[in-house]
Amino acid sequence: MLVPVLLTLAIITILFVLWLQKSSRNFSRVTAVVLTVVMLLSSVQVSKISNLIESATGADSKLHTVNVLVMNESKFQTVKDMNSDDKVGANLLADAKHINNALKQMEDTDKLKVTPKEYSNYFDLVAALYDGKLDAIILNQAYIPLITEVKENFEKEVRVIASYEYTEKIVNKKEPVNVLKDTFTVFVSGIDTYGSIKSVSRSDVNMLVTVNPVTNQILLTSIPRDYYVKLNKNGKKDKLTHAGLYGVDESMKTLEDLLNDSSSNLEKTIDVDYFLRVNFSSVTKIANALGGVSVRAEENFTAGGKQFIRGENYVNGQEALAFTRERYQFKGGDNVRVKHQQALMTGVLNKVMSPSIITNFSSFLSSIKGEFEFSMDDGDLNKLIKKKIDSMPSWEIIPIQLSGTGSKSNNVYSLPGRSLYVMEPNYDTVRKAAELILKMERNEKIEKQ
């Protein structure tokens, strides 16, 4: 988008300069100079928008953070206060790769070499720390929310005395997509953290956004966080939310497997082409940057200090976050929450695709810089923006939801030996979603479900 716009601005500027040279009236000269300056300022704005788009697109890495934790009353303030004889533990069975990376960084940067005692699950590891059998534990930060499900005050009762980070490339090789002609699918992952959007974490919001640029239809497919699925990496059963612990690419591949294994009658496999990651702070900043959005509540309820009424509600950022997180007040539980997440996505899409966004696009992007990451490259996103500006198409948004039946399992891969709530998939809804996505890929219009 940047090159054509700058070229147009340059041509207009040259024409004004020529007009200035031919004109003998002072008024014309002044007018031409003013307009030329406006054109140059506009080029700066276009360049700014382009830089903002470039910074948010082309995401291809994930951030791992491994912490060394001690109890609050521990004498250790940093790992430099420790020595190799101190008792340290880690769950090497589940997380050897990342723990070993942290151990190497500890040895290289902090000159401390330890051989941690091995534990086969996180709860025995944490219990040993609490009981004083260990002086410290080495724990992947992504697993802390899992531990707080059982030990509610865990984060308040321990301290981080060291953190080791490293990034890893995301490999998601797909066939090239022409975003102006081909249907493509984006995995939207809402991770349950504040702070860095690159951090590996559970994925509490899992939505597939399938876009057909020919029929101008968008299919929103929401999948409950507790869906009991086979992980792509090893075929073990786990909650879908836990797939995010192994990276956004694992979530994408796990969802591809779910859709493609739902029926032997699918004429082709379904690919998830891109990912878009947001977190808690992203939701509040995006909604605020848009000046608030309209959402539709399934029933009356109160959350975050706001009374939501069944039907349309206008929400700011904090209210939007409260709206999408509440589930305990509803008989339908997570099923209602998923519908509210779709309602927020629909509200955001409607606002972003409205004509009013064009004049505020630069300030909108500036407000949400660093609050999301998108694996689509900036060139393809610019093509979509240009199409929006050139033709102002009207998009139809169709929401659907995968459903299931609540159950219990003590065979959840990420938390073995614990009886946990899971949702057994309703494979009829999975098959229906797969068929609708393939129908869109054939450029057939789909009907409201």
Side-chain angles (χ1 to χ4, degrees), residues 205-208 221-225 227 240 255 258 338 402:
V205 178
N206 301 277
M207 191 181 302
L208 296 177
T221 305
S222 286
I223 308 97
R225 67 187 292 280
Y227 235 40
L240 177 60
L255 284 173
L258 176 68
V338 165
L402 304 191

Side-chain angles (χ1 to χ4, degrees), residues 2 8 23 28 40 97 112 197 199-200 224 264 284 314 332-333 380 398 405 432 436:
L2 178 62
T8 303
S23 175
S28 297
L40 292 174
K97 178 180 177 181
L112 175 65
I197 198 66
S199 296
V200 170
S264 59
T284 57
Y314 205 78
D380 283 341
I398 301 173
T405 305
K432 182 178 180 180
L436 287 173

Side-chain angles (χ1 to χ4, degrees), residues 354-389:
S354 68
S356 62
I357 195 65
I358 301 302
T359 55
N360 298 315
F361 194 56
S362 177
S363 61
F364 168 66
L365 284 178
S366 295
S367 299
I368 62 173
K369 185 177 181 181
E371 295 301 326
F372 70 97
E373 61 171 6
F374 195 10
S375 64
M376 180 182 287
D377 66 48
D378 60 322
D380 283 341
L381 184 56
N382 280 332
K383 290 176 186 177
L384 290 173
I385 294 170
K386 187 175 185 300
K387 177 182 177 179
K388 170 67 180 171
I389 295 172

Side-chain angles (χ1 to χ4, degrees), residues 420-440:
L420 299 176
Y421 174 84
V422 297
M423 184 178 286
E424 296 286 354
N426 177 337
Y427 284 99
D428 287 338
T429 63
V430 179
R431 279 189 289 273
K432 182 178 180 180
E435 289 163 1
L436 287 173
I437 292 172
L438 288 177
K439 193 172 183 179
M440 291 186 73

Side-chain angles (χ1 to χ4, degrees), residues 178-228:
N178 184 334
V179 295
L180 298 182
K181 295 181 179 179
D182 300 334
T183 294
F184 58 89
T185 295
V186 180
F187 170 54
V188 177
S189 172
I191 61 176
D192 66 342
T193 64
Y194 293 91
S196 175
I197 198 66
K198 290 184 178 293
S199 296
V200 170
S201 179
R202 293 185 307 177
S203 184
D204 269 9
V205 178
N206 301 277
M207 191 181 302
L208 296 177
V209 181
T210 304
V211 180
N212 186 318
V214 176
T215 63
N216 294 325
Q217 286 190 309
I218 298 174
L219 177 68
L220 303 182
T221 305
S222 286
I223 308 97
R225 67 187 292 280
D226 294 317
Y227 235 40
Y228 198 37

Side-chain angles (χ1 to χ4, degrees), residues 54-69:
E54 188 175 349
S55 70
T57 52
D60 63 353
S61 64
K62 50 190 175 184
L63 175 67
H64 297 280
T65 303
V66 178
N67 296 324
V68 181
L69 298 168

Side-chain angles (χ1 to χ4, degrees), residues 129-166:
L129 178 66
Y130 273 71
D131 293 342
K133 295 176 182 177
L134 294 174
D135 297 309
I137 62 174
I138 302 174
L139 181 67
N140 191 326
Q141 185 169 287
Y143 285 89
I144 290 178
L146 299 187
I147 294 169
T148 56
E149 289 183 11
V150 177
K151 275 198 171 293
E152 186 177 344
N153 295 319
F154 177 71
E155 289 183 275
K156 297 177 182 178
E157 295 169 342
V158 298
R159 285 187 290 111
V160 177
I161 61 170
S163 291
Y164 303 98
E165 294 183 347
Y166 79 101

Side-chain angles (χ1 to χ4, degrees), residues 19-46:
W19 176 51
L20 174 61
Q21 289 175 340
K22 292 182 179 180
S23 175
S24 59
R25 294 184 301 170
N26 289 333
F27 177 76
S28 297
R29 288 192 178 94
V30 172
T31 302
V33 170
V34 170
L35 288 174
T36 301
V37 171
V38 170
M39 291 299 110
L40 292 174
L41 288 176
S42 297
S43 71
V44 171
Q45 280 296 96
V46 172

